[in-house]
Amino acid sequence: MQTRGSISVIEVDSPPVNALSRDVRAGVSSAVVAANEDPDVVALVITCAGRTWMAGADIKEFGGPPLEPTFTRMIGVLDGSVKPIVAAVHGTALGGGLELALACHHRVAATGTVLGSPEIKLGLLPGAGGTQRLPRLIGPVAALDLILTARNVAADEALALGLVDAVVPSDELRRAAIATALEVAASGQPVRRVRDLSERIAPDAVPADLFTEARMNLSRSTPDLLAPQYCIRCVEAAVTMPFDDGVALERELFYELVDTSQSRALRHVFAAERRVKRPPGESASARDVQAVGVVGAGTMGSGIAMALADAGYRVHLVDSDRGALERSDTSAAARYQRMVGRGELSEAAARARRDSIGRSEELVSLRACDVVIEAVVERSDVKKALLRQVDEVLGADAIIASNTSTLDLDDLASVIGDPSRVIGLHFFSPAHIMTLVEVVRGRHTSPDALATALDMCRRMNKTGVVVGVCPGFVGNRMLLRRTAAADALLLQGAMPWEIDAALVSFGFKMGPYQMSDLIGLDVLWNRETTSSATIREVLCEQGRFGQKAGAGFYDYAESRRGAPSEQVADIVRGFARRSGQTQRAFGPDEIVDRLMAALVNEGAKLLDEGIATRGSDIDVVWVHGYGFPRHRGGPMFFADERGLDRMLASVEELGIPEQEPAPLLTRLVSEGGRLATYEPGVPSSG
């Protein structure tokens, strides 16, 4: 704390992000108390050193014993100051950081500052008065929008909303905040506490149907999520209750949410997404990549090229088929024009992105690339032939990446003179939209190639997860086991629509048979070799290829949603009779347990084999690549919450020879360990 004339300047300097740790809370609280007791001080300014305003509360403290001074106690110290406090905000003011700024009496923001309330992403609500102060400051309509969408607002929008009182250039922030403090103190007016504001929450300022409509919207979009419902209750309380009563309700509901499985799951995913960026034992630096080549202008290659262009790379897209290149260009142009129409890009930016993708029929155009990604047909012989040619064209230091989803990366790398520069980048389709990339580390992949691949993922705003080499890697290998478990359930008495309905109720957008109909049952079907050996083969033999044919596992008439098919039910029952299995009814919970058990058991095997590095990495793969409901935390976290003993019992009930219980799963059940936190050499209990 320093005194500038009659102004006490409290500066927080706690690198790297000025997190609201116990020491920071204690320091700010004591400095505010000291300034209030100093007769020479007329006002206070709180500012931060470094690149940002104070970060939010540490989620690691949630669920544990309170550490004094608690965040709410510190907020009370600020709110109770008899001398005006000005927050000089820069960088980001999110979550608890924003609530701290709201507890100050005035806010001056630097240009480029971003403000927001992201708590709902963690299954929580702003729990330090945020749901009560925001409506009083910017009105309940805007407050609901910020809290329920968790969107960030830039400084100019914050000024227009009334969230901040002024926006100034960064190099003038401290001077402007001190000037504001002097001006407020000189006015002789009482301290302007946000808690005392009432104009924005007056009855005539609040739309009559605001909260009813908000609840109706939630019932359609996220009916199973608790945090949004609780947020609406709190903002409604800000309008209908005295401030202290509203804060009491907010705290009660906050602690209820902290204890829910939903919030634990969302906090787990939040932490896992950050952890996955730091593979254990890796410390190499990423290379400087400017130009990236993509070979193959089909759907996948074109999507990868657009993702790279969006990230600011110079892209060289190569395909021997001129028509494919032209279709790729047309598709990119249409996408960028749609983005212009939605206000996401300017015409100039759209043109620049399109122009950043060069197209050629000749591999020699890749010569200047730092990285080349092959995205051709999923055949080992085709990929190997191409990789040999790419190896001859590229400079000795360039990284060569394969987009293979199933093939042996080490086998592909064997045709390269220096296999240490080969890595797998398994994008998910559509590549310019899906956020997951499985970063496949081969036997010889160098640390700097791995670091470069992860850095490219980050720059493309994608989540790169390091995995080892095996058929299907992590995601598809687990998916194959779930598909087998679902097909086994068909023979045991469950119908396709019952299985799909159970998974949709669980939180997936689609079940496996709905997805099969969408993709097309004939994708891997061969009319010449079909033998009626599986339900899928019989459906294809009858022309039931899925949605495109008007029939698949479901009947499609006027609706693309599909309806249960008696014809399919007869086919399923016929296969069941011939299998000799006894059929019975299955409830949704039992269906979910069986399918989750297949996923979890294979995940445990992947951990045992070292293909997956951490249990939480598997959760990230499934949340980002396969639509696993985020509020369930991923398959490994879900298994821990459900009970590993229950999962093990479900694995044993599968009765599938290839899906015998994983040794790791059996061991963790006996030890009381957890899968989501499992990492070789690190205790997994707790």
Side-chain angles (χ1 to χ4, degrees):
M1 182 175 70
Q2 299 175 336
T3 301
R4 301 293 173 88
S6 57
I7 304 299
S8 175
V9 178
I10 302 168
E11 181 178 75
V12 174
D13 187 3
S14 180
V17 292
N18 293 317
L20 284 164
S21 63
R22 175 170 53 180
D23 289 343
V24 169
R25 299 193 300 264
V28 171
S29 299
S30 61
V32 170
V33 170
N36 271 268
E37 293 174 349
D38 187 338
D40 295 327
V41 171
V42 298
L44 297 79
V45 168
I46 299 180
T47 187
C48 290
R51 58 186 173 88
T52 186
W53 175 253
M54 280 167 271
D58 187 348
I59 64 172
K60 290 183 287 189
E61 291 187 19
F62 295 165
L67 301 176
E68 294 291 346
T70 63
F71 184 46
T72 52
R73 198 176 303 281
M74 183 189 73
I75 292 292
V77 170
L78 298 176
D79 194 48
S81 172
V82 297
K83 298 174 182 179
I85 304 176
V86 177
V89 184
H90 76 288
T92 56
L94 305 176
L98 177 61
E99 289 186 289
L100 188 149
L102 291 174
C104 297
H105 310 122
H106 300 271
R107 285 150 297 284
V108 179
T111 304
T113 302
V114 174
L115 306 93
S117 294
E119 288 89 348
I120 202 167
K121 293 181 179 180
L122 301 178
L124 299 171
L125 53 79
T131 65
Q132 304 305 296
R133 288 188 175 87
L134 263 179
R136 286 170 165 80
L137 193 63
I138 65 175
V141 174
L144 271 180
D145 173 54
L146 293 190
I147 294 171
L148 292 178
T149 65
R151 73 182 183 89
N152 296 337
V153 297
D156 288 344
E157 183 181 357
L159 180 63
L161 287 171
L163 193 53
V164 300
D165 302 302
V167 177
V168 300
S170 297
D171 58 357
E172 297 180 16
L173 178 61
R174 181 174 297 211
R175 183 193 59 77
I178 291 172
T180 299
L182 286 169
E183 181 181 345
V184 170
S187 71
Q189 297 295 316
V191 170
R192 176 182 173 265
R193 294 182 176 85
V194 174
R195 62 176 291 156
D196 297 329
L197 303 179
S198 59
E199 181 180 352
R200 294 291 187 97
I201 57 171
D204 59 353
V206 181
D209 58 351
L210 174 62
F211 301 107
T212 300
E213 188 173 315
R215 290 188 173 95
M216 288 177 58
N217 290 337
L218 279 187
S219 69
R220 291 190 292 266
S221 59
T222 53
D224 299 327
L225 297 186
L226 287 176
Q229 299 171 30
Y230 282 23
C231 287
I232 293 174
R233 286 178 62 184
C234 287
V235 174
E236 186 175 33
V239 172
T240 59
M241 292 182 177
F243 180 84
D244 288 335
D245 292 346
V247 167
L249 176 66
E250 177 192 86
R251 294 306 293 167
E252 176 187 343
L253 296 183
F254 177 84
Y255 283 117
E256 279 188 29
L257 288 173
V258 167
D259 241 5
T260 62
S261 180
Q262 285 186 9
S263 181
R264 288 195 297 271
L266 290 166
R267 293 183 335 244
H268 165 72
V269 174
F270 177 85
E273 288 168 337
R274 279 143 185 80
R275 195 179 303 117
V276 82
K277 299 174 184 177
R278 303 182 299 275
E282 297 296 339
S283 59
S285 298
R287 301 183 192 178
D288 180 28
V289 175
Q290 300 296 324
V292 183
V294 179
V295 185
T299 300
M300 181 59 78
S302 295
I304 294 172
M306 284 189 283
L308 291 164
D310 292 346
Y313 291 107
R314 297 195 310 276
V315 185
H316 300 268
L317 182 60
V318 176
D319 198 300
S320 58
D321 182 351
R322 170 52 58 181
L325 291 170
E326 291 173 352
R327 289 190 294 274
S328 173
D329 184 43
T330 300
S331 175
R335 173 180 175 247
Y336 290 135
Q337 201 53 51
R338 288 193 299 271
M339 294 175 75
V340 170
R342 295 193 296 263
E344 298 172 13
L345 284 180
S346 66
E347 288 281 2
R351 192 179 313 111
R353 289 194 189 182
R354 183 182 177 189
D355 291 346
S356 70
I357 305 176
R359 291 173 170 82
S360 173
E361 297 171 61
E362 303 296 333
L363 287 175
V364 70
S365 65
L366 302 173
R367 191 179 299 279
C369 291
D370 304 301
V371 177
V372 170
I373 305 168
E374 69 79 11
V376 297
V377 64
E378 189 75 352
R379 280 178 45 187
S380 181
D381 58 337
V382 174
K383 288 186 183 289
K384 281 184 172 182
L386 172 63
L387 290 173
R388 285 191 190 96
Q389 293 175 288
V390 169
D391 191 24
E392 293 172 0
V393 169
L394 288 181
D397 293 332
I399 293 171
I400 300 174
S402 172
N403 181 54
T404 180
S405 58
T406 57
L407 300 178
D408 185 333
L409 184 74
D410 291 327
D411 182 50
L412 297 180
S414 68
V415 303
I416 302 298
D418 178 10
S420 72
R421 61 176 174 153
V422 177
I423 195 161
L425 288 176
H426 176 209
F427 288 82
F428 284 65
S429 186
H432 56 290
I433 295 174
M434 294 292 286
T435 56
L436 177 67
V437 178
E438 284 183 312
V439 180
V440 187
R441 173 169 42 192
R443 185 184 306 117
H444 302 291
T445 301
S446 67
D448 66 321
L450 180 65
T452 302
L454 288 171
D455 187 64
M456 290 177 65
C457 290
R458 178 197 58 75
R459 188 166 159 184
M460 286 186 285
N461 199 29
K462 297 195 180 295
T463 300
V465 182
V466 177
V467 300
V469 176
C470 71
F473 309 124
V474 168
N476 283 343
R477 178 170 149 180
M478 292 173 67
L479 180 64
L480 184 66
R481 297 306 188 194
R482 192 188 75 174
T483 300
D487 288 346
L489 276 173
L490 292 181
L491 300 183
Q492 294 167 11
M495 285 294 159
W497 33 92
E498 293 172 339
I499 293 171
D500 286 344
L503 285 186
V504 169
S505 179
F506 180 78
F508 282 94
K509 298 297 183 186
M510 281 186 171
Y513 300 106
Q514 292 168 317
M515 182 63 72
S516 293
D517 275 1
L518 178 65
I519 294 171
L521 302 184
D522 58 333
V523 169
L524 297 176
W525 177 68
N526 189 324
R527 188 180 299 275
E528 303 300 321
T529 60
T530 189
S531 60
S532 305
T534 66
I535 293 171
R536 282 178 175 79
E537 280 194 322
V538 170
L539 293 179
C540 287
E541 290 163 5
Q542 296 183 3
R544 299 182 69 95
F545 301 138
Q547 283 190 17
K548 62 187 177 185
F553 281 102
Y554 293 81
D555 289 332
Y556 299 90
E558 297 178 2
S559 171
R560 296 185 64 182
R561 292 176 63 87
S565 168
E566 189 56 39
Q567 182 179 346
V568 172
D570 286 342
I571 292 171
V572 170
R573 284 191 285 263
F575 268 86
R577 282 194 302 272
R578 291 190 291 276
S579 74
Q581 296 197 52
T582 302
Q583 290 201 298
R584 65 176 178 84
F586 286 86
D589 279 352
E590 190 174 6
I591 290 172
V592 167
D593 274 355
R594 291 283 187 94
L595 300 187
M596 291 302 109
L599 283 181
V600 168
N601 192 52
E602 199 64 24
K605 292 179 181 179
L606 287 161
L607 287 168
D608 244 354
E609 297 166 19
I611 303 300
T613 306
R614 292 171 288 218
S616 59
D617 287 3
I618 294 174
D619 288 336
V620 172
V621 166
W622 270 82
V623 166
H624 281 268
Y626 296 86
F628 200 100
R630 193 178 180 91
H631 68 279
R632 301 282 191 177
M636 312 310 266
F637 180 87
F638 172 79
D640 290 334
E641 291 283 299
R642 195 75 139 187
L644 293 188
D645 53 345
R646 180 170 171 176
M647 284 290 104
L648 179 59
S650 293
V651 171
E652 292 167 341
E653 290 168 359
L654 289 174
I656 301 174
E658 298 83 6
Q659 300 201 39
E660 67 283 349
L664 175 62
L665 178 59
T666 303
R667 177 162 62 82
L668 290 180
V669 168
S670 66
E671 295 175 353
R674 294 177 64 86
L675 274 170
T677 56
Y678 180 79
E679 183 178 334
V682 178
S684 61
S685 60

